[in-house]
Amino acid sequence: MAVQSVHAFAEKVALITDGANPVGRAVAMQLALLGCYVIVGFSSLSEENERALRELQSLGTLANAVEADISTVKGAKYLVGEVEKMYGRLDLLINTLKFVPQSSFQEISEDVWTKTIDVNLKSVFFVTQSAINLMQSRPKPVIVNVVTDESYDENLLFGAAQSAVIGLTKSLAKQFAPKFRVNCVAVGEGRKKSPEILDAELFRPKTGVDSDDAARVIVYLLSSEAKSLTGQILNVE
């Protein structure tokens, strides 16, 4: 994977839908360092989220935060509308919002079902729908959807929502080719097993993927280095 030149992203406008997501925050930081104008969505601007925004601004880039509930159509349109007000254009869209229900299959209520689908799938659909019009005039618009790659044996609803995002990614890639590139990154979060020959006390198994490593893969897909890739699902484990 090639090292990105700052010139490849200079003055591009990037929207990361959830800056509270560790991967989303890492993507925002890396794109800011590469010269992007970064807009980060937050469901609420908590003290921690405002601190994350200040970190981005400390890099000397133009970084903004927008508070919006993008699990609703109104919130999705508002988020993209704020990007249009700020810059009048959008080059890169990274969908990172995630909600993992804690209920077992037998305990899932209609409210939990609705929230899980709205946050994980509806947000991606309607933010992308709103963003397409703003992006289509740009020379090389790119969309990357981020999902979780883990065992869904105990969380069937979340798995269904993540699978739906993957299916949506493939469909969008076909419908909007060749103008748009649309890909997906599936980030592993499960505990990795250590080889049996290693001493478990000395070599502790890793838990998931480092957010910065996942962000590098996303930035690669956003770059011209991945210009031949669309409709792909890249697993980061």
Side-chain angles (χ1 to χ4, degrees):
M1 194 176 297
V3 176
Q4 300 301 327
S5 165
V6 67
H7 301 294
F9 289 95
E11 298 187 354
K12 285 190 175 184
V13 178
L15 170 61
I16 297 91
T17 58
D18 183 26
N21 182 306
V23 173
R25 184 173 299 185
V27 172
M29 293 292 288
Q30 291 187 26
L31 288 177
L33 287 168
L34 290 167
C36 273
Y37 300 142
V38 175
I39 304 97
V40 182
F42 291 104
S43 57
S44 62
L45 278 175
S46 64
E47 182 178 342
E48 180 182 356
N49 293 337
E50 289 181 345
R51 183 166 59 251
L53 175 62
R54 290 194 295 271
E55 288 177 3
L56 284 170
Q57 293 171 334
S58 70
L59 299 176
T61 189
L62 290 177
N64 293 277
V66 177
E67 185 175 355
D69 178 8
I70 61 171
S71 67
T72 68
V73 177
K74 181 179 179 180
K77 290 182 177 180
Y78 175 77
L79 176 62
V80 176
E82 289 300 295
V83 176
E84 185 171 17
K85 287 180 183 177
M86 293 176 197
Y87 296 103
R89 58 190 173 91
L90 179 62
D91 299 280
L92 311 172
L93 171 62
I94 305 93
N95 286 300
T96 58
L97 188 63
K98 180 176 71 172
F99 167 72
V100 183
Q102 300 303 312
S103 304
S104 68
F105 179 72
Q106 290 84 355
E107 296 171 338
I108 291 172
S109 65
E110 185 176 2
D111 288 343
V112 172
W113 164 275
T114 299
K115 181 176 181 179
T116 303
I117 298 301
D118 285 357
V119 173
N120 292 289
L121 176 61
K122 186 178 177 181
S123 67
V124 176
F125 187 97
F126 284 104
V127 168
T128 302
Q129 183 189 67
S130 299
I132 288 290
N133 291 333
L134 193 57
M135 299 176 76
Q136 62 185 0
S137 63
R138 304 304 298 159
K140 298 177 182 179
V142 186
I143 299 170
V144 174
N145 299 322
V146 182
V147 299
T148 300
D149 178 26
E150 61 179 14
S151 172
Y152 301 126
D153 293 344
E154 298 179 2
N155 208 326
L156 301 181
L157 177 56
F158 180 63
Q162 299 293 273
S163 296
V165 173
I166 290 173
L168 178 61
T169 299
K170 294 178 179 179
S171 297
L172 288 170
K174 290 180 180 178
Q175 180 166 344
F176 292 101
K179 176 63 177 177
F180 284 76
R181 288 194 295 110
V182 187
N183 291 292
C184 183
V185 172
V187 182
E189 289 191 353
R191 178 172 286 276
K192 297 184 177 182
K193 296 180 180 179
S194 295
E196 294 181 2
I197 59 172
L198 298 180
D199 187 324
E201 291 300 317
L202 295 176
F203 301 93
R204 298 184 183 276
K206 294 182 178 180
T207 55
V209 175
D210 184 83
S211 297
D212 286 331
D213 291 337
R216 289 186 187 96
V217 175
I218 295 166
V219 171
Y220 164 71
L221 287 175
L222 295 170
S223 76
S224 59
E225 297 292 331
K227 63 182 180 181
S228 63
L229 296 180
T230 192
Q232 301 303 305
I233 315 302
L234 269 59
N235 294 287
V236 185
E237 298 178 351

